[in-house]
Amino acid sequence: MNDETNFLTAVIRELAAPTAIVLAAWGALGGATNALSTRMQLREALRHILLGALIAAGMGSLSMAVVALWLGLPVLSIPAGSAAGSAAYLVGVFGPAFIEVTLARLRKAKGDPS
């Protein structure tokens, strides 16, 4: 029980860290951009905003490495200035769409009509 309590305390402490909150905010803005640019219904837009925030906060600084690799940037560009917010924004924009495409392909391969 004590180990579980310590784990939950550590998780809550990490989620409340200012860095995670800032990355989640940038991810949410990216999800909002995605929702506005594709003109979706309010429920779908809220889902994209929430997904963008969760993905960006969950990836943390890994998002900078993923975006640098995706754009073909040099490895030295990863710790550059305020790249964390920019990377979190891009992850928020493209993360929900990537998940939707992946799930659609999995459903198609499984034969699920939805």
Side-chain angles (χ1 to χ4, degrees):
M1 181 78 173
N2 193 18
D3 290 338
E4 184 178 324
T5 305
N6 290 338
F7 174 75
L8 290 175
T9 304
V11 168
I12 291 170
R13 188 178 315 125
E14 286 298 319
L15 288 175
T19 304
I21 294 171
V22 168
L23 292 178
W26 278 110
L29 290 172
T33 301
N34 183 349
L36 288 171
S37 65
T38 55
R39 293 185 181 184
M40 55 184 61
Q41 295 177 352
L42 180 61
R43 182 177 175 171
E44 294 294 316
L46 291 175
R47 188 171 63 85
H48 273 253
I49 292 168
L50 181 61
L51 272 174
L54 292 174
I55 293 168
M59 286 187 70
S61 59
L62 177 63
S63 62
M64 291 184 286
V66 170
V67 170
L69 179 68
W70 175 49
L71 295 176
L73 299 172
V75 178
L76 296 174
S77 67
I78 293 173
S82 61
S86 301
Y89 178 80
L90 286 174
V91 167
V93 170
F94 295 108
F98 178 78
I99 289 174
E100 283 186 355
V101 168
T102 303
L103 289 176
R105 288 182 181 176
L106 288 173
R107 286 183 187 119
K108 184 177 178 183
K110 187 178 175 184
D112 188 9
S114 58

PDB file of all heavy atoms in Angstrom, residues 55-83:
ATOM      1  N   ILE A  55      -1.519  14.178 -25.098  1.00  0.00           N
ATOM      2  CA  ILE A  55      -0.375  13.652 -25.841  1.00  0.00           C
ATOM      3  C   ILE A  55       0.856  14.519 -25.615  1.00  0.00           C
ATOM      4  O   ILE A  55       1.951  14.016 -25.367  1.00  0.00           O
ATOM      5  CB  ILE A  55      -0.703  13.551 -27.347  1.00  0.00           C
ATOM      6  CG1 ILE A  55      -1.782  12.495 -27.581  1.00  0.00           C
ATOM      7  CG2 ILE A  55       0.547  13.212 -28.157  1.00  0.00           C
ATOM      8  CD1 ILE A  55      -2.368  12.531 -28.975  1.00  0.00           C
ATOM      9  N   ALA A  56       0.689  15.831 -25.688  1.00  0.00           N
ATOM     10  CA  ALA A  56       1.830  16.733 -25.508  1.00  0.00           C
ATOM     11  C   ALA A  56       2.398  16.640 -24.095  1.00  0.00           C
ATOM     12  O   ALA A  56       3.624  16.594 -23.910  1.00  0.00           O
ATOM     13  CB  ALA A  56       1.426  18.163 -25.814  1.00  0.00           C
ATOM     14  N   ALA A  57       1.539  16.600 -23.091  1.00  0.00           N
ATOM     15  CA  ALA A  57       2.025  16.487 -21.718  1.00  0.00           C
ATOM     16  C   ALA A  57       2.638  15.115 -21.475  1.00  0.00           C
ATOM     17  O   ALA A  57       3.644  14.992 -20.778  1.00  0.00           O
ATOM     18  CB  ALA A  57       0.893  16.729 -20.728  1.00  0.00           C
ATOM     19  N   GLY A  58       2.046  14.094 -22.051  1.00  0.00           N
ATOM     20  CA  GLY A  58       2.560  12.739 -21.866  1.00  0.00           C
ATOM     21  C   GLY A  58       3.894  12.509 -22.545  1.00  0.00           C
ATOM     22  O   GLY A  58       4.746  11.786 -22.025  1.00  0.00           O
ATOM     23  N   MET A  59       4.089  13.108 -23.699  1.00  0.00           N
ATOM     24  CA  MET A  59       5.362  12.927 -24.404  1.00  0.00           C
ATOM     25  C   MET A  59       6.463  13.762 -23.780  1.00  0.00           C
ATOM     26  O   MET A  59       7.625  13.393 -23.860  1.00  0.00           O
ATOM     27  CB  MET A  59       5.203  13.277 -25.883  1.00  0.00           C
ATOM     28  CG  MET A  59       4.448  12.244 -26.656  1.00  0.00           C
ATOM     29  SD  MET A  59       4.437  12.580 -28.415  1.00  0.00           S
ATOM     30  CE  MET A  59       6.121  12.258 -28.861  1.00  0.00           C
ATOM     31  N   GLY A  60       6.096  14.893 -23.206  1.00  0.00           N
ATOM     32  CA  GLY A  60       7.106  15.730 -22.554  1.00  0.00           C
ATOM     33  C   GLY A  60       8.206  16.145 -23.509  1.00  0.00           C
ATOM     34  O   GLY A  60       7.962  16.545 -24.651  1.00  0.00           O
ATOM     35  N   SER A  61       9.430  16.030 -23.064  1.00  0.00           N
ATOM     36  CA  SER A  61      10.559  16.463 -23.883  1.00  0.00           C
ATOM     37  C   SER A  61      10.841  15.506 -25.034  1.00  0.00           C
ATOM     38  O   SER A  61      11.584  15.849 -25.949  1.00  0.00           O
ATOM     39  CB  SER A  61      11.805  16.623 -23.015  1.00  0.00           C
ATOM     40  OG  SER A  61      12.112  15.394 -22.392  1.00  0.00           O
ATOM     41  N   LEU A  62      10.237  14.310 -25.011  1.00  0.00           N
ATOM     42  CA  LEU A  62      10.410  13.385 -26.130  1.00  0.00           C
ATOM     43  C   LEU A  62       9.812  13.965 -27.406  1.00  0.00           C
ATOM     44  O   LEU A  62      10.283  13.660 -28.504  1.00  0.00           O
ATOM     45  CB  LEU A  62       9.760  12.039 -25.803  1.00  0.00           C
ATOM     46  CG  LEU A  62       9.796  10.974 -26.890  1.00  0.00           C
ATOM     47  CD1 LEU A  62      11.248  10.593 -27.194  1.00  0.00           C
ATOM     48  CD2 LEU A  62       8.999   9.768 -26.488  1.00  0.00           C
ATOM     49  N   SER A  63       8.809  14.816 -27.262  1.00  0.00           N
ATOM     50  CA  SER A  63       8.192  15.402 -28.449  1.00  0.00           C
ATOM     51  C   SER A  63       9.194  16.226 -29.249  1.00  0.00           C
ATOM     52  O   SER A  63       9.117  16.271 -30.471  1.00  0.00           O
ATOM     53  CB  SER A  63       6.979  16.249 -28.070  1.00  0.00           C
ATOM     54  OG  SER A  63       7.356  17.327 -27.251  1.00  0.00           O
ATOM     55  N   MET A  64      10.145  16.870 -28.566  1.00  0.00           N
ATOM     56  CA  MET A  64      11.166  17.636 -29.294  1.00  0.00           C
ATOM     57  C   MET A  64      12.010  16.718 -30.166  1.00  0.00           C
ATOM     58  O   MET A  64      12.317  17.039 -31.315  1.00  0.00           O
ATOM     59  CB  MET A  64      12.050  18.405 -28.317  1.00  0.00           C
ATOM     60  CG  MET A  64      11.323  19.530 -27.615  1.00  0.00           C
ATOM     61  SD  MET A  64      12.390  20.494 -26.552  1.00  0.00           S
ATOM     62  CE  MET A  64      12.611  19.358 -25.197  1.00  0.00           C
ATOM     63  N   ALA A  65      12.368  15.554 -29.640  1.00  0.00           N
ATOM     64  CA  ALA A  65      13.167  14.607 -30.416  1.00  0.00           C
ATOM     65  C   ALA A  65      12.379  14.043 -31.586  1.00  0.00           C
ATOM     66  O   ALA A  65      12.901  13.903 -32.699  1.00  0.00           O
ATOM     67  CB  ALA A  65      13.658  13.476 -29.512  1.00  0.00           C
ATOM     68  N   VAL A  66      11.097  13.750 -31.361  1.00  0.00           N
ATOM     69  CA  VAL A  66      10.252  13.208 -32.429  1.00  0.00           C
ATOM     70  C   VAL A  66      10.080  14.229 -33.546  1.00  0.00           C
ATOM     71  O   VAL A  66      10.206  13.906 -34.732  1.00  0.00           O
ATOM     72  CB  VAL A  66       8.888  12.760 -31.857  1.00  0.00           C
ATOM     73  CG1 VAL A  66       7.905  12.434 -32.962  1.00  0.00           C
ATOM     74  CG2 VAL A  66       9.068  11.577 -30.929  1.00  0.00           C
ATOM     75  N   VAL A  67       9.800  15.473 -33.195  1.00  0.00           N
ATOM     76  CA  VAL A  67       9.614  16.520 -34.202  1.00  0.00           C
ATOM     77  C   VAL A  67      10.925  16.783 -34.949  1.00  0.00           C
ATOM     78  O   VAL A  67      10.913  16.950 -36.176  1.00  0.00           O
ATOM     79  CB  VAL A  67       9.052  17.807 -33.551  1.00  0.00           C
ATOM     80  CG1 VAL A  67       9.089  18.974 -34.513  1.00  0.00           C
ATOM     81  CG2 VAL A  67       7.636  17.568 -33.069  1.00  0.00           C
ATOM     82  N   ALA A  68      12.043  16.801 -34.243  1.00  0.00           N
ATOM     83  CA  ALA A  68      13.335  17.017 -34.904  1.00  0.00           C
ATOM     84  C   ALA A  68      13.622  15.893 -35.901  1.00  0.00           C
ATOM     85  O   ALA A  68      14.084  16.140 -37.020  1.00  0.00           O
ATOM     86  CB  ALA A  68      14.449  17.125 -33.871  1.00  0.00           C
ATOM     87  N   LEU A  69      13.347  14.657 -35.506  1.00  0.00           N
ATOM     88  CA  LEU A  69      13.553  13.520 -36.402  1.00  0.00           C
ATOM     89  C   LEU A  69      12.603  13.586 -37.590  1.00  0.00           C
ATOM     90  O   LEU A  69      12.996  13.361 -38.733  1.00  0.00           O
ATOM     91  CB  LEU A  69      13.350  12.216 -35.623  1.00  0.00           C
ATOM     92  CG  LEU A  69      13.512  10.932 -36.410  1.00  0.00           C
ATOM     93  CD1 LEU A  69      14.975  10.760 -36.828  1.00  0.00           C
ATOM     94  CD2 LEU A  69      13.075   9.748 -35.576  1.00  0.00           C
ATOM     95  N   TRP A  70      11.333  13.942 -37.332  1.00  0.00           N
ATOM     96  CA  TRP A  70      10.320  14.026 -38.378  1.00  0.00           C
ATOM     97  C   TRP A  70      10.670  15.095 -39.407  1.00  0.00           C
ATOM     98  O   TRP A  70      10.500  14.903 -40.613  1.00  0.00           O
ATOM     99  CB  TRP A  70       8.974  14.301 -37.728  1.00  0.00           C
ATOM    100  CG  TRP A  70       7.830  14.526 -38.667  1.00  0.00           C
ATOM    101  CD1 TRP A  70       7.474  13.765 -39.742  1.00  0.00           C
ATOM    102  CD2 TRP A  70       6.879  15.583 -38.594  1.00  0.00           C
ATOM    103  NE1 TRP A  70       6.358  14.287 -40.342  1.00  0.00           N
ATOM    104  CE2 TRP A  70       5.967  15.400 -39.656  1.00  0.00           C
ATOM    105  CE3 TRP A  70       6.691  16.650 -37.735  1.00  0.00           C
ATOM    106  CZ2 TRP A  70       4.908  16.251 -39.883  1.00  0.00           C
ATOM    107  CZ3 TRP A  70       5.621  17.493 -37.971  1.00  0.00           C
ATOM    108  CH2 TRP A  70       4.746  17.289 -39.026  1.00  0.00           C
ATOM    109  N   LEU A  71      11.170  16.248 -38.936  1.00  0.00           N
ATOM    110  CA  LEU A  71      11.507  17.349 -39.847  1.00  0.00           C
ATOM    111  C   LEU A  71      12.921  17.250 -40.412  1.00  0.00           C
ATOM    112  O   LEU A  71      13.315  18.082 -41.214  1.00  0.00           O
ATOM    113  CB  LEU A  71      11.335  18.685 -39.116  1.00  0.00           C
ATOM    114  CG  LEU A  71       9.909  19.033 -38.696  1.00  0.00           C
ATOM    115  CD1 LEU A  71       9.894  20.331 -37.908  1.00  0.00           C
ATOM    116  CD2 LEU A  71       8.993  19.130 -39.899  1.00  0.00           C
ATOM    117  N   GLY A  72      13.676  16.248 -39.979  1.00  0.00           N
ATOM    118  CA  GLY A  72      15.035  16.072 -40.468  1.00  0.00           C
ATOM    119  C   GLY A  72      16.000  17.121 -39.941  1.00  0.00           C
ATOM    120  O   GLY A  72      16.976  17.451 -40.602  1.00  0.00           O
ATOM    121  N   LEU A  73      15.728  17.632 -38.750  1.00  0.00           N
ATOM    122  CA  LEU A  73      16.602  18.636 -38.146  1.00  0.00           C
ATOM    123  C   LEU A  73      17.796  17.952 -37.485  1.00  0.00           C
ATOM    124  O   LEU A  73      17.709  16.790 -37.090  1.00  0.00           O
ATOM    125  CB  LEU A  73      15.827  19.448 -37.095  1.00  0.00           C
ATOM    126  CG  LEU A  73      14.624  20.221 -37.618  1.00  0.00           C
ATOM    127  CD1 LEU A  73      13.846  20.820 -36.458  1.00  0.00           C
ATOM    128  CD2 LEU A  73      15.069  21.297 -38.576  1.00  0.00           C
ATOM    129  N   PRO A  74      18.896  18.678 -37.335  1.00  0.00           N
ATOM    130  CA  PRO A  74      20.047  18.077 -36.653  1.00  0.00           C
ATOM    131  C   PRO A  74      19.743  17.825 -35.178  1.00  0.00           C
ATOM    132  O   PRO A  74      18.905  18.499 -34.565  1.00  0.00           O
ATOM    133  CB  PRO A  74      21.155  19.125 -36.811  1.00  0.00           C
ATOM    134  CG  PRO A  74      20.465  20.380 -37.180  1.00  0.00           C
ATOM    135  CD  PRO A  74      19.169  20.014 -37.821  1.00  0.00           C
ATOM    136  N   VAL A  75      20.423  16.853 -34.615  1.00  0.00           N
ATOM    137  CA  VAL A  75      20.210  16.473 -33.221  1.00  0.00           C
ATOM    138  C   VAL A  75      20.483  17.648 -32.288  1.00  0.00           C
ATOM    139  O   VAL A  75      19.845  17.792 -31.244  1.00  0.00           O
ATOM    140  CB  VAL A  75      21.097  15.273 -32.851  1.00  0.00           C
ATOM    141  CG1 VAL A  75      20.921  14.884 -31.392  1.00  0.00           C
ATOM    142  CG2 VAL A  75      20.781  14.097 -33.756  1.00  0.00           C
ATOM    143  N   LEU A  76      21.398  18.516 -32.655  1.00  0.00           N
ATOM    144  CA  LEU A  76      21.735  19.657 -31.803  1.00  0.00           C
ATOM    145  C   LEU A  76      20.592  20.667 -31.691  1.00  0.00           C
ATOM    146  O   LEU A  76      20.598  21.518 -30.810  1.00  0.00           O
ATOM    147  CB  LEU A  76      22.982  20.357 -32.325  1.00  0.00           C
ATOM    148  CG  LEU A  76      24.262  19.523 -32.291  1.00  0.00           C
ATOM    149  CD1 LEU A  76      25.410  20.276 -32.963  1.00  0.00           C
ATOM    150  CD2 LEU A  76      24.617  19.160 -30.864  1.00  0.00           C
ATOM    151  N   SER A  77      19.598  20.575 -32.554  1.00  0.00           N
ATOM    152  CA  SER A  77      18.485  21.522 -32.494  1.00  0.00           C
ATOM    153  C   SER A  77      17.460  21.139 -31.427  1.00  0.00           C
ATOM    154  O   SER A  77      16.573  21.930 -31.119  1.00  0.00           O
ATOM    155  CB  SER A  77      17.792  21.604 -33.847  1.00  0.00           C
ATOM    156  OG  SER A  77      17.155  20.374 -34.149  1.00  0.00           O
ATOM    157  N   ILE A  78      17.568  19.955 -30.849  1.00  0.00           N
ATOM    158  CA  ILE A  78      16.571  19.498 -29.874  1.00  0.00           C
ATOM    159  C   ILE A  78      16.511  20.399 -28.645  1.00  0.00           C
ATOM    160  O   ILE A  78      15.431  20.831 -28.258  1.00  0.00           O
ATOM    161  CB  ILE A  78      16.811  18.022 -29.491  1.00  0.00           C
ATOM    162  CG1 ILE A  78      16.530  17.140 -30.695  1.00  0.00           C
ATOM    163  CG2 ILE A  78      15.944  17.611 -28.312  1.00  0.00           C
ATOM    164  CD1 ILE A  78      16.880  15.688 -30.496  1.00  0.00           C
ATOM    165  N   PRO A  79      17.629  20.746 -28.001  1.00  0.00           N
ATOM    166  CA  PRO A  79      17.509  21.577 -26.801  1.00  0.00           C
ATOM    167  C   PRO A  79      17.426  23.076 -27.079  1.00  0.00           C
ATOM    168  O   PRO A  79      17.570  23.877 -26.172  1.00  0.00           O
ATOM    169  CB  PRO A  79      18.781  21.244 -26.029  1.00  0.00           C
ATOM    170  CG  PRO A  79      19.768  20.902 -27.075  1.00  0.00           C
ATOM    171  CD  PRO A  79      18.979  20.257 -28.180  1.00  0.00           C
ATOM    172  N   ALA A  80      17.156  23.455 -28.308  1.00  0.00           N
ATOM    173  CA  ALA A  80      17.184  24.867 -28.677  1.00  0.00           C
ATOM    174  C   ALA A  80      16.083  25.657 -27.989  1.00  0.00           C
ATOM    175  O   ALA A  80      14.932  25.254 -27.955  1.00  0.00           O
ATOM    176  CB  ALA A  80      17.030  25.006 -30.191  1.00  0.00           C
ATOM    177  N   GLY A  81      16.457  26.772 -27.425  1.00  0.00           N
ATOM    178  CA  GLY A  81      15.564  27.783 -26.869  1.00  0.00           C
ATOM    179  C   GLY A  81      14.218  27.327 -26.386  1.00  0.00           C
ATOM    180  O   GLY A  81      14.093  26.570 -25.452  1.00  0.00           O
ATOM    181  N   SER A  82      13.176  27.809 -27.028  1.00  0.00           N
ATOM    182  CA  SER A  82      11.815  27.486 -26.604  1.00  0.00           C
ATOM    183  C   SER A  82      11.192  26.441 -27.515  1.00  0.00           C
ATOM    184  O   SER A  82      10.021  26.520 -27.865  1.00  0.00           O
ATOM    185  CB  SER A  82      10.969  28.751 -26.593  1.00  0.00           C
ATOM    186  OG  SER A  82      10.920  29.287 -27.903  1.00  0.00           O
ATOM    187  N   ALA A  83      11.973  25.463 -27.899  1.00  0.00           N
ATOM    188  CA  ALA A  83      11.484  24.435 -28.806  1.00  0.00           C
ATOM    189  C   ALA A  83      10.447  23.535 -28.156  1.00  0.00           C
ATOM    190  O   ALA A  83       9.667  22.894 -28.843  1.00  0.00           O
ATOM    191  CB  ALA A  83      12.651  23.600 -29.325  1.00  0.00           C
TER     192      ALA A  83
END
